[in-house]
């Protein structure tokens, strides 16, 4: 039976049409994978929306509806690759911190390292909307996850209660960012462990040192 105009059924149909089709997450995943592949092949400067659309099996207008620019695409791929909550809660303070920092080391030695991040960071300065996306989807969530791990360390008695959380966050991540931006030193296999060991040596409680000695085998 046809639904009369203006009835509840007609209103529902109108609302469905106004919302359009649900977003296809398969397209998003294919596009992000294509971005990473192309970055690895030709680098950030030669990444184009046309190339991404062709690789992902979609169209440039589809990309434009989802992402404002190729830079926004790279940020989205960065979040997918590195995660926005990298630091776990395993019950072990230094284990959690190492796991979080290792996601930086692993990613920066791969596609999103020297081939993408330095140029992307430079683009943030001239694009407030891009900067906001980078900070809100990538930087701040990752930082918050590590901050939570540090606070758990304080609650466990591993880290001094007067420790400066913001300073510790900067110290933990800065080595990885410094090396990817300037390329003056390599990412060694033990970099995450080495960084956490040095930082905890300054803020760990005597109890933590007593329990773990050399950071539990770091």
């Amino acid at each position: 039976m046809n639904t009369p105009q203006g009835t509840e059924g007609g209103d529902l149909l109108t609302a469905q049409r106004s919302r359009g089709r649900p977003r296809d997450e398969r397209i998003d995943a294919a596009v992000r994978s294509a971005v990473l592949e192309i970055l690895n092949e030709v680098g950030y400067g030669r990444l184009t929306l046309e190339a991404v659309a062709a690789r992902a099996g979609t169209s440039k207008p589809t990309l434009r509806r989802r992402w404002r620019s190729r830079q926004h695409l790279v940020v989205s791929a960065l979040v997918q690759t590195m995660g926005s909550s990298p630091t776990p809660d395993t019950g072990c303070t230094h284990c959690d911190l190492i796991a979080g920092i290792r996601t930086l080391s692993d990613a920066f030695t791969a596609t999103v390292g020297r081939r993408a991040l330095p140029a992307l960071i430079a683009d943030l300065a001239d694009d407030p909307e891009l900067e906001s996306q980078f900070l809100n989807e990538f930087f701040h969530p990752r930082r918050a996850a590590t901050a939570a791990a540090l606070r758990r360390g304080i609650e466990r008695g591993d880290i001094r209660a007067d420790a400066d959380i913001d300073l510790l966050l900067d110290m933990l991540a800065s080595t990885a960012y410094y090396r990817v931006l300037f390329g003056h030193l390599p990412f060694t296999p033990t970099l995450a462990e080495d960084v956490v060991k040095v930082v905890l040596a300054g803020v760990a409680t005597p109890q933590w040192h007593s329990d773990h000695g050399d950071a539990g085998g770091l």
Side-chain angles (χ1 to χ4, degrees):
M1 181 176 67
N2 292 334
T3 303
Q5 190 74 16
T7 65
E8 182 179 350
D11 291 341
L12 177 60
L13 180 60
T14 300
Q16 288 174 336
R17 286 173 176 168
S18 67
R19 287 196 297 269
R21 295 180 180 177
R23 181 157 173 162
D24 191 340
E25 294 299 328
R26 293 173 299 178
I27 294 178
D28 289 2
V31 167
R32 294 187 187 105
S33 295
V35 169
L36 295 174
E37 291 173 5
I38 296 171
L39 282 175
N40 190 48
E41 294 168 7
V42 302
Y44 180 86
R46 297 175 64 185
L47 177 77
T48 65
L49 292 179
E50 291 84 358
V52 172
R55 182 73 59 94
T58 186
S59 65
K60 186 176 177 180
T62 297
L63 299 186
R64 285 291 192 187
R65 285 194 293 270
R66 286 166 162 80
W67 297 279
R68 189 168 66 87
S69 69
R70 67 186 185 92
Q71 290 89 345
H72 287 76
L73 263 175
V74 173
V75 172
S76 182
L78 193 70
V79 173
Q80 181 192 45
T81 302
M82 300 177 63
S84 57
S85 299
T87 308
D89 181 3
T90 66
C92 167
T93 299
H94 63 271
C95 302
D96 294 350
L97 296 174
I98 289 170
I101 299 304
R102 187 173 284 144
T103 63
L104 291 176
S105 298
D106 290 347
F108 290 168
T109 55
T111 303
V112 294
R114 291 283 294 169
R115 305 210 72 175
L117 192 68
L120 176 63
I121 295 298
D123 282 344
L124 300 183
D126 297 321
D127 190 335
E129 183 179 327
L130 178 66
E131 181 183 39
S132 177
Q133 182 190 2
F134 179 84
L135 292 176
N136 292 333
E137 295 184 12
F138 177 76
F139 185 82
H140 290 322
R142 290 181 60 90
R143 189 176 175 90
T146 306
L150 291 170
R151 294 189 181 97
R152 290 194 300 268
I154 292 175
E155 293 170 359
R156 294 187 190 110
D158 293 336
I159 297 174
R160 296 199 319 259
D162 63 349
D164 186 328
I165 297 295
D166 284 325
L167 179 60
L168 293 178
L169 291 170
D170 288 345
M171 294 174 68
L172 286 166
S174 60
T175 302
Y177 281 107
Y178 202 72
R179 292 191 181 190
V180 73
L181 290 175
F182 297 103
H184 62 296
L185 288 172
F187 285 88
T188 62
T190 62
L191 182 63
E193 291 91 334
D194 294 341
V195 169
V196 172
K197 179 178 179 179
V198 169
V199 172
L200 284 186
V203 296
T205 61
Q207 181 61 49
W208 185 89
H209 282 291
S210 174
D211 290 343
H212 299 283
D214 188 21
L218 285 177

